[in-house]
Amino acid sequence: MRARRFFPRTRPFRYAGFWVAATTLPLAGGGGRNAWQLGAAIGFCCLWPLLADRLRGRWPAAAGVDGRLYALECALVALVLAWASVPVALAVTAAACLLAGAAALAGWRLLVPAALALGAGAASGLLLAPVLSARSAPAADALALGLLVGFTLALAHLAFDQARRLEGQRLALAARSAALERLNGRMQRYLPPSLRHRLARAPEAACRWERCWLTVAFVDLVGFTELAGRLEAEPLAGLLDDYLGVLIRAAEARRGEVSKVLGDGVLVAFGLGGELDRRAGAAAALAFCRDVPPQLARLAARWQRRGEPVRLAIRAGIASGYCTLGDRGAAERLDFTLLGTPVNLASRLQARAAADDALLDAATAALLAPDPRLGAPQRLTVKGLGEQPAHVCALAPESGGPQSGSSGLTS
């Protein structure tokens, strides 16, 4: 039997039960024939609780000590009561209390050894008894009934108390689980879908660095600084939320993922998780950028009807290539980061694009070729990346063709 800590929990019952029995056993006397036997039984009832505590203290962490001590207690009680020729009612009551206690403490794992120990102890006591007298007396029967009722009530009270504590713990755990679910739902809104899937698959493991081919689009709101200086804080915050909502929904519609939100700038990655091949990722990135202007025009019209004269336009940079993604930072504060030349190049191209235009790097243009919407490659010097070929693509239908944004390509 594995180590159990239930034996100390029976200490109050042990002292109460044995000492009550010691004071009431004289009522079960059957005359002079077994008086000295009852005296020995009374002595055992007085001393055994103290001896059991000393034995338990000598082996506080030994495996199986609690079970063996309980079985020994059952055997000694049965032996002493049988040897002292205690009336059957009292003996049966004592056995019932011990067996009920065993079942309540450890179930069948303790009940079976306790029953075997009781049987062995009773048989040994009957064989060793110098005088056998199973005579019953009204006082002994009343005592047995009182002990049985008292033990049953005490056990029922303990069971009720335990059930109440367990119910309280269950309700507390349910409330905590609901709070964690609410917190988890809120926190998920701050995390991109691919990161949520990674954390769900391996909650404890760090997100290792990995390289994969992606097409990234960096989109920025044209004239945001002027807009921020003209609008009050509340309308500006609402307008920015609506603008970001348009970008997020447009990215999800094209199977892209918003990786970063930097004020009015948004970095969208296409091809995470291998859902899109290279050509499909490049096509989805350009389609996303072309989906946004019509939606922003409708959003601007809605705000104009509310008395806020705004014009919303974007510029974008799109680049393709191998990127590195994974956890970055200390153990106390991590950031799931997307790094690589395509990210930097997309940001630089976005800064050089004209309103309602997108600048595409050579790799993205090659994946999209032949595409009549793309202008001829032009050379421009990109800070930190040297001279780069770039293709301009008009995003808004009214921009006037693929060359409308060529004025943004200044070296």
Side-chain angles (χ1 to χ4, degrees), residues 34 52 70 72 105 112 114 129 131 156 158 171 175-176 195 209 217 244 301 325 333 345 355 371 375 381 405 407:
N34 58 354
Y70 199 91
L72 176 63
L105 289 170
V112 173
V131 176
L158 284 179
L171 293 176
R176 184 179 179 184
L195 179 56
W209 288 97
L244 294 176
L325 62 157
R333 178 65 170 85
L345 182 54
D371 191 327
T381 301
S407 60

Side-chain angles (χ1 to χ4, degrees), residues 8-304:
R9 291 159 52 192
T10 65
R11 190 170 184 267
F13 280 97
R14 183 177 304 106
Y15 277 88
F18 279 96
W19 287 0
V20 168
T23 59
T24 55
L25 270 177
L27 298 176
R33 292 192 309 144
N34 58 354
W36 71 277
Q37 293 170 272
L38 286 176
I42 292 172
F44 166 77
C45 291
C46 292
L47 297 177
W48 169 251
L50 301 173
L51 179 60
D53 282 346
R54 289 183 64 86
L55 291 174
R56 186 62 181 80
R58 290 191 62 182
W59 303 287
V65 166
D66 283 357
R68 287 195 290 267
L69 276 178
Y70 199 91
L72 176 63
E73 183 171 280
C74 292
L76 290 177
V77 169
L79 188 149
V80 171
L81 294 183
W83 178 83
S85 297
V86 171
V88 174
L90 278 176
V92 171
T93 297
C97 292
L98 288 170
L99 291 176
L105 289 170
W108 289 103
R109 294 181 180 179
L110 186 59
L111 180 60
V112 173
L116 295 176
L118 281 170
S124 301
L126 291 175
L127 291 175
L128 297 175
V131 176
L132 292 176
S133 174
R135 289 184 302 163
S136 182
D141 294 341
L143 173 63
L145 180 61
L147 289 175
L148 186 59
V149 171
F151 179 82
T152 302
L153 293 177
L155 192 62
H157 173 74
L158 284 179
F160 168 76
D161 190 58
Q162 180 72 6
R164 184 175 59 182
R165 287 199 301 270
L166 290 175
E167 178 65 14
Q169 293 174 2
R170 187 191 68 81
L171 293 176
L173 287 174
R176 184 179 179 184
S177 177
L180 289 175
E181 287 290 337
R182 292 192 297 270
L183 178 61
N184 182 56
R186 178 173 174 81
M187 292 182 66
Q188 283 190 356
R189 298 171 65 183
Y190 292 87
L191 303 176
S194 65
L195 179 56
R196 295 202 299 264
H197 296 158
R198 288 169 180 262
L199 296 178
R201 289 196 304 266
E204 303 297 331
C207 296
R208 298 179 179 178
W209 288 97
E210 63 179 69
R211 289 181 59 80
C212 58
W213 182 281
L214 298 175
T215 296
V216 294
F218 203 101
V219 178
D220 185 71
L221 184 63
V222 177
F224 178 73
T225 301
E226 182 273 333
L227 195 64
R230 182 164 53 86
L231 294 180
E232 295 294 332
E234 291 80 3
L236 179 64
L239 178 62
L240 187 59
D241 288 343
D242 289 345
Y243 158 72
L244 294 176
V246 167
L247 294 185
I248 292 171
R249 290 189 293 272
E252 292 176 347
R254 295 296 181 175
R255 301 172 69 182
E257 180 176 294
V258 175
S259 179
K260 292 289 182 183
V261 176
L262 304 172
D264 62 312
V266 175
L267 177 65
V268 185
F270 295 84
L272 285 170
E275 294 184 356
L276 300 172
D277 60 27
R278 295 185 182 186
R279 291 182 61 86
L286 182 58
F288 154 72
C289 292
R290 292 179 63 85
D291 289 343
V292 171
Q295 298 183 45
L296 290 184
R298 292 191 291 270
L299 176 62
R302 188 164 69 246
W303 276 83
Q304 289 170 6

